[in-house]
């Protein structure tokens, strides 16, 4: 039945069943395309990246993401942008982007940045204004402001929907927590330490 439907699609360019049919429902990973006749400049536009993010939080950092949810015209184009603000000592904690390599430009301040290779080697670098650094796709990476003044970075990512998985949030703060037994064995510590960390997320 499914192959008949696909054959019909090849022959006629359309599916026999409407997308609302549960049997042949089509689930899009990207976003549906707008009618090209209705596209305007605003579909490729965002304003406000000159405004600093609010870093009054426990991490002392803020990320403004300009991805396909913000600029619909990015759909399928494989690129997005972020502005990251850091208070003195502020941290963008260890995280990965499952779908993107990231290239970071420091606009202001001094950052210590790093990523961990698949061989478990830490690669670090201190960056100042004008410096550029690359975080390869899928690797755990972080940034910390090591100066007494604020820092600002712009990053570009080669996905319109790079995704972000914050390691601590995932491991210790998942909805439906990972069983403590899994974490005590994984980190080789007692349950009370795991429970203490879990309580922070
Ligand atoms: C899109 O453009 C068509 C004409 O090309 C127009 O009839 C229609 O109302 C437009 N739709 C929207 C949502 O603006
Ligand atoms: C920044 O965030 C803090 C904590 O959520 C809030 O109290 C404060 O009003 C915010 N500042 C601005 C300028 O929005
Ligand atoms: C002012 C301030 O918080 N400075 C901190 C910047 O980051 C370095 C490294 O973590 C800290 O040692 C400083 O105290």
């Amino acid at each position: 039945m499914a192959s008949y439907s696909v054959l019909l699609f090849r022959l006629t360019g359309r599916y026999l069943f409407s997308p609302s049919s549960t049997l042949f429902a089509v689930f899009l990973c990207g976003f549906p395309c707008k009618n090209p006749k209705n596209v305007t400049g605003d579909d490729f536009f965002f304003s406000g990246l000159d405004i600093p993010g609010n870093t009054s939080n426990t991490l002392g950092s803020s990320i403004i993401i300009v991805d396909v949810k913000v600029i619909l015209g990015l759909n399928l184009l494989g690129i997005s942008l972020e502005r990251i603000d850091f208070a003195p000592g502020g941290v963008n904690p260890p995280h990965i982007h499952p779908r993107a390599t990231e290239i970071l430009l420091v606009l202001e301040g001094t950052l210590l940045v790093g990523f961990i290779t698949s061989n478990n080697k830490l690669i670090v670098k201190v960056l100042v204004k004008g410096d550029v650094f690359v975080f390869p796709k899928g690797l755990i990476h972080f940034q910390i402001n090591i100066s007494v003044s604020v820092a600002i970075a712009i990053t570009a990512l080669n996905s319109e929907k790079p995704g972000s998985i914050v390691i601590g949030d995932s491991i210790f703060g998942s909805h439906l927590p990972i069983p403590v037994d899994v974490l005590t064995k994984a980190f080789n510590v007692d349950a009370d330490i795991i429970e203490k960390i879990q309580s922070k997320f």
Side-chain angles (χ1 to χ4, degrees):
M1 194 68 171
S3 58
Y4 171 74
S5 177
V6 168
L7 178 67
L8 197 76
F9 176 76
R10 287 201 187 123
L11 292 176
T12 66
R14 60 200 165 89
Y15 279 101
L16 182 58
F17 299 92
S18 77
S20 60
S21 153
T22 49
L23 190 57
F24 290 100
V26 175
F27 293 93
L28 293 172
C29 289
F31 286 76
C33 290
K34 201 169 171 177
N35 182 342
K37 287 179 188 156
N38 298 77
V39 167
T40 70
D42 283 341
D43 293 309
F44 301 91
F45 174 78
F46 170 79
S47 178
L49 226 53
D50 57 323
I51 300 163
N54 185 346
T55 59
S56 300
N57 52 58
T58 50
L59 293 170
S61 69
S62 146
I63 304 176
I64 301 166
I65 301 170
V66 185
D67 62 5
V68 68
K69 287 185 216 150
V70 178
I71 300 181
L72 281 175
L74 283 174
N75 198 18
L76 305 180
L77 294 185
I79 194 165
S80 57
L81 194 75
E82 296 171 331
R83 172 185 173 134
I84 314 180
D85 287 275
F86 300 86
V91 172
N92 185 8
H95 64 284
I96 64 171
H97 302 292
R99 291 176 289 275
T101 289
E102 169 176 337
I103 185 162
L104 176 146
L105 162 69
V106 179
L107 290 185
E108 238 11 287
T110 306
L111 293 176
L112 172 74
V113 304
F115 64 84
I116 299 145
T117 71
S118 52
N119 294 328
N120 232 9
K121 181 178 172 185
L122 176 64
I123 307 285
V124 285
K125 187 83 186 156
V126 172
L127 308 178
V128 295
K129 183 175 178 171
D131 289 351
V132 172
F133 193 81
V134 174
F135 304 96
K137 179 175 179 171
L139 297 184
I140 296 179
H141 61 283
F142 59 85
Q143 299 110 25
I144 179 167
N145 177 3
I146 54 168
S147 79
V148 292
S149 51
V150 301
I152 306 168
I154 296 290
T155 73
L157 302 114
N158 65 334
S159 166
E160 71 275 16
K161 203 166 175 285
S164 184
I165 297 170
V166 182
I167 307 303
D169 290 350
S170 292
I171 303 283
F172 297 105
S174 60
H175 303 295
L176 275 189
I178 299 176
V180 172
D181 288 351
V182 173
L183 297 178
T184 55
K185 287 233 165 38
F187 292 99
N188 196 17
V189 293
D190 294 332
D192 58 330
I193 296 178
I194 296 296
E195 279 155 9
K196 189 172 175 196
I197 301 176
Q198 281 177 331
S199 72
K200 307 277 183 196
F201 283 89

